[in-house]
Amino acid sequence: AQSVAQPEDQVNVAEGNPLTVKCTYSVSGNPYLFWYVQYPNRGLQFLLKYITGDNLVKGSYGFEAEFNKSQTSFHLKKPSALVSDSALYFCAVRAAGGTSYGKLTFGQGTILTVHP
Amino acid sequence: DSGVTQTPKHLITATGQRVTLRCSPRSGDLSVYWYQQSLDQGLQFLIQYYNGEERAKGNILERFSAQQFPDLHSELNLSSLELGDSALYFCASSVTSGRSTDTQYFGPGTRLTVL
């Protein structure tokens, strides 16, 4: 079985400061890891993914994520937060191979609030 | 805009009724996925279709069914609706069968309210 934990329900940060949204995962075999963002009354927007290779993945809107296999983590980061980054963020995992095909397992989500 | 379209945007119905949610994938995508987002369960995978065939099944209730048509659009049918079925239903699509590294792109969702 695969699972994702986002240990913080909410993250608050001041505009211009760095932000981190945490994610840990559990999966059999190699993981494919994703971050999505959801704005109010909108669908999920893809930010970035880790498949293999470089542990630091760069994505949309200045976001990046660091894959750490030993800690089974995939934290989302941004060097300088914007008020417009305020949204609900989801981490998701999919096992490479197996019979689950494209099934994504999502964390519970983290509400990011960036204060002016 | 992801290129995935879902209709209707909102649906209000009564308990015991049946509804159909529709999804059109991005051009060229062969896989369609359905997810349910609710406050208590979070985002849950329901079912996946690839090129018309069911490929993977999640925690989908027996009252729910789906299909993918030859033009690749998909429909999710929800019957004997209960209050607890009220949720946001998302459709996503990807290029291949899912046994790969491709990304799933999500539609805007259908908000179902069961009264």
Side-chain angles (χ1 to χ4, degrees), chain B residues 75-88:
Chain B
E75 292 181 357
L76 179 66
N77 299 296
L78 315 177
S79 61
S80 302
L81 285 167
E82 302 175 359
L83 294 177
D85 298 327
S86 296
L88 194 50

Side-chain angles (χ1 to χ4, degrees), chain B residues 31-93:
Chain B
S31 269
V32 169
Y33 311 79
W34 286 97
Y35 291 86
Q36 179 195 57
Q37 184 180 32
S38 61
L39 283 176
D40 54 345
Q41 298 288 332
L43 259 168
Q44 300 268 322
F45 169 76
L46 295 177
I47 197 163
Q48 176 198 354
Y49 278 81
Y50 172 69
N51 205 20
E53 300 285 330
E54 182 183 305
R55 192 53 62 109
K57 218 167 185 177
N59 297 325
I60 187 167
L61 299 172
E62 285 191 13
R63 301 183 285 108
F64 296 2
S65 64
Q67 55 184 327
Q68 186 179 26
F69 295 86
D71 67 352
L72 301 177
H73 91 272
S74 177
E75 292 181 357
L76 179 66
N77 299 296
L78 315 177
S79 61
S80 302
L81 285 167
E82 302 175 359
L83 294 177
D85 298 327
S86 296
L88 194 50
Y89 290 84
F90 285 112
C91 168
S93 73

Side-chain angles (χ1 to χ4, degrees), chain B residues 8 10-21 63-64 77-87 89 110-115:
Chain B
H10 302 277
L11 202 47
I12 300 175
T13 188
T15 55
Q17 294 298 305
R18 173 189 170 94
V19 297
T20 298
L21 282 54
R63 301 183 285 108
F64 296 2
N77 299 296
L78 315 177
S79 61
S80 302
L81 285 167
E82 302 175 359
L83 294 177
D85 298 327
S86 296
Y89 290 84
T110 293
R111 182 168 295 281
L112 174 66
T113 302
V114 182
L115 301 175

Side-chain angles (χ1 to χ4, degrees), chain B residues 25-30 72 94-95:
Chain B
R26 295 186 319 155
S27 177
D29 284 0
L30 299 178
L72 301 177
S94 70
V95 174

Side-chain angles (χ1 to χ4, degrees), chain A residues 6 11 13-14 18-19 22-23 32 34 54 56 61 66 68 80 92 94 99:
Chain A
Q6 292 181 241
V11 170
V13 64
L19 70 87
K22 295 180 180 178
C23 169
Y32 296 153
F34 302 79
D54 194 350
L56 185 64
Y61 312 119
E66 187 168 10
N68 187 317
S80 179
R94 186 168 90 222
T99 58

Side-chain angles (χ1 to χ4, degrees), chain A:
Chain A
Q2 53 197 43
S3 64
V4 174
Q6 292 181 241
E8 300 157 319
D9 290 337
Q10 290 196 14
V11 170
N12 295 292
V13 64
E15 188 173 31
N17 282 1
L19 70 87
T20 299
V21 182
K22 295 180 180 178
C23 169
T24 59
Y25 67 90
S26 174
V27 70
S28 298
N30 293 322
Y32 296 153
L33 293 156
F34 302 79
W35 276 101
Y36 286 85
V37 59
Q38 184 178 23
Y39 295 98
N41 301 314
R42 301 284 295 276
L44 276 72
Q45 294 180 30
F46 168 72
L47 281 178
L48 51 80
K49 66 182 177 183
Y50 171 82
I51 302 301
T52 188
D54 194 350
N55 289 342
L56 185 64
V57 179
K58 293 190 183 296
S60 306
Y61 312 119
F63 283 94
E64 57 190 30
E66 187 168 10
F67 171 66
N68 187 317
K69 188 171 183 178
S70 62
Q71 296 185 5
T72 61
S73 68
F74 188 55
H75 300 331
L76 181 70
K77 301 181 180 184
K78 188 174 182 181
S80 179
L82 298 172
V83 172
S84 57
D85 293 330
S86 299
L88 180 58
Y89 289 80
F90 289 98
C91 180
V93 69
R94 186 168 90 222
T99 58
S100 61
Y101 286 90
K103 173 189 174 182
L104 283 176
T105 297
F106 285 87
Q108 285 298 104
T110 299
I111 298 172
L112 172 68
T113 303
V114 181
H115 302 280

